[in-house]
Amino acid sequence: QVQLVESGGGLVEAGGSLRLSCTASGNMFNINVMGWYRQAPGKERELVARVSRGGSTNYADSVKGRFTISWANVKNTALQMNSLRPEDTAVYYCAAFRAGDAYWGQGTQVTIPS
């Protein structure tokens, strides 16, 4: 089992920055992808960014050039968010993946007032 705890959410003005952190505990053996997802009210959960153990990254088109995902060590993942927009408002979830399994954190709220 893997437990994930997100931190760093909050309220920030448009154009500002936030850094989300995800701390993992438990068996991280063969966890080969970490990701950040978000869910806005009334919308489905969507991929924001993901990173493989080898360092490959993928970003949603809406965040390219503004967000950066990093996986500094086995148990710490971060999402640097710059130039935030009201449409970035959502609950952000950290996720960990290995073949056949997915683990999710409880989420952290990010609010950008319009």
Side-chain angles (χ1 to χ4, degrees), residues 38-58:
R38 67 187 180 187
Q39 187 166 18
K43 296 187 177 181
E44 294 186 352
R45 191 172 297 188
E46 63 176 1
L47 171 70
V48 176
R50 61 187 175 201
V51 57
S52 72
R53 194 177 282 272
S56 298
T57 56
N58 296 95

Side-chain angles (χ1 to χ4, degrees), residues 4 15 43 50-51 60 69 72-73 84 93 105 113-114:
L4 303 171
K43 296 187 177 181
R50 61 187 175 201
V51 57
I69 189 171
N73 56 58
L84 284 161
Y93 298 90
S114 56

Side-chain angles (χ1 to χ4, degrees), residues 83-107:
S83 302
L84 284 161
R85 305 168 180 168
E87 54 264 39
D88 295 319
T89 294
V91 177
Y92 284 70
Y93 298 90
C94 178
F97 301 94
R98 59 178 157 223
D101 290 308
Y103 303 92
W104 296 87
Q106 292 187 333

Side-chain angles (χ1 to χ4, degrees), residues 5-79:
V5 178
E6 303 96 339
S7 61
L11 187 150
V12 66
E13 293 183 353
S17 299
L18 282 173
R19 184 176 179 84
L20 305 184
S21 297
C22 176
T23 301
S25 60
N27 182 11
M28 293 292 285
F29 181 71
N30 276 350
I31 293 291
N32 49 33
V33 175
M34 296 293 296
W36 287 93
Y37 290 71
R38 67 187 180 187
Q39 187 166 18
K43 296 187 177 181
E44 294 186 352
R45 191 172 297 188
E46 63 176 1
L47 171 70
V48 176
R50 61 187 175 201
V51 57
S52 72
R53 194 177 282 272
S56 298
T57 56
N58 296 95
Y59 294 91
D61 287 343
S62 60
V63 308
K64 283 181 181 177
R66 300 188 298 122
F67 291 12
T68 303
I69 189 171
S70 59
W71 192 358
N73 56 58
V74 172
K75 296 193 173 183
N76 291 281
T77 309
L79 183 69

